[in-house]
Amino acid sequence: MLHLNTIASHRHAAGKNSTADKLLVAAGELMIERNSIDVSLSDIAHKAGVNAALVKYHFGNKDGLLLALLERDAAAEMVNLEILMAQPMSATQKMRLHIAGIIRTYYQFPYMNRLIHYLLHENGNEAANEVSKFFVGPLLDFHRRLLAEGVATGEFRPVDPVLFYTSLIGACDHLFFGRHTMGRAIGIGPVTDQVCRDYIQHMENLILHGILSSTAPSTAPA
């Protein structure tokens, strides 16, 4: 169980302390290497070149480290959402850039959705509230506002933002997590730069053709 009241003061140590940063980097690298979030504290500490006791010092416990890792990985994308929303461009173009940004984020951090599932569903309400606060809530709110903007300008048909979030994030989850299963079943290889680019194009076409208004002018890809 994640005790946020114990580790809250430790979560933001990363970025201000080189040892905390090393532990986060090591945890992320191990998850990518093993295609799993089930990595031990001793393995994380060994890869970081530090004593395992420092995990407790900086993050409270392993779950505190995982929460800090997710917050670190999500932070840049959350900032980018507000920058994108303020740009003087069409809602359709903003949506194209958002789809590409989300997919590239998952490509960079393929363990992200597994961390989200774990922290939302296996660590009690406090962890779920934290994840909702810095990731799920802001992303859902961005979708709500961008979809509403597109409807107001006549570019999009009305779309439920929760269903949209589920479709986009679920598609990312299955490419970067489910691909391991597909590889075993039908021999699909790893996600490469080219696969990532192809998937961005595929999801842009799939999503935009699903939400564009019948009266919206056609727009060429960026």
Side-chain angles (χ1 to χ4, degrees):
M1 179 66 70
L2 178 65
H3 300 291
L4 293 179
N5 57 334
T6 302
I7 67 165
S9 62
H10 297 280
R11 282 198 303 114
H12 301 288
K16 300 177 181 179
N17 184 285
S18 60
T19 301
D21 286 335
K22 286 179 182 178
L23 287 164
L24 293 182
V25 169
E29 289 179 350
L30 282 173
M31 290 177 192
I32 292 172
E33 290 169 9
R34 300 179 182 181
N35 193 37
S36 172
I37 66 169
D38 187 18
V39 294
S40 70
L41 287 182
S42 60
D43 285 348
I44 293 171
H46 178 74
K47 189 171 185 65
V50 301
N51 191 299
L54 290 174
V55 174
K56 183 174 182 180
Y57 176 78
H58 289 293
F59 302 105
N61 54 26
K62 180 182 174 180
D63 287 340
L65 183 150
L66 297 181
L67 187 63
L69 177 63
L70 178 60
E71 187 170 16
R72 183 206 69 175
D73 294 346
E77 186 59 29
M78 296 304 104
V79 171
N80 289 339
L81 295 182
E82 295 309 312
I83 295 174
L84 179 59
M85 197 69 198
Q87 295 305 303
M89 60 179 64
S90 70
T92 301
Q93 184 61 17
K94 289 178 186 178
M95 185 61 77
R96 288 187 186 279
L97 293 173
H98 174 59
I99 292 168
I102 285 291
I103 292 172
R104 289 191 182 107
T105 297
Y106 273 83
Y107 179 49
Q108 183 178 3
F109 308 116
Y111 51 79
M112 181 176 283
N113 236 38
R114 276 167 282 177
L115 275 185
I116 292 171
H117 290 312
Y118 174 74
L119 292 168
L120 280 176
H121 304 299
E122 298 186 36
N123 277 285
N125 291 333
E126 289 181 296
N129 288 341
E130 287 295 309
V131 175
S132 297
K133 184 188 304 180
F134 68 74
F135 184 82
V136 180
L139 192 51
L140 271 170
D141 182 63
F142 174 82
H143 289 164
R144 177 187 59 78
R145 288 183 289 143
L146 182 53
L147 290 168
E149 179 181 306
V151 170
T153 59
E155 297 170 67
F156 301 162
R157 65 177 181 82
V159 176
D160 185 309
V162 175
L163 296 181
F164 179 88
Y165 170 94
T166 303
S167 299
L168 176 57
I169 302 305
C172 290
D173 186 30
H174 200 71
L175 177 68
F176 296 108
F177 182 34
R179 193 176 183 86
H180 183 66
T181 302
M182 291 190 291
R184 288 177 176 272
I186 55 178
I188 294 177
V191 180
T192 63
D193 288 341
Q194 186 60 52
V195 169
C196 185
R197 288 192 293 270
D198 291 344
Y199 201 59
I200 288 171
Q201 186 65 56
H202 169 73
M203 290 303 298
E204 285 179 356
N205 291 334
L206 190 67
I207 290 176
L208 288 173
H209 281 105
I211 68 175
L212 286 176
S213 166
S214 59
T215 59
S218 61
T219 56

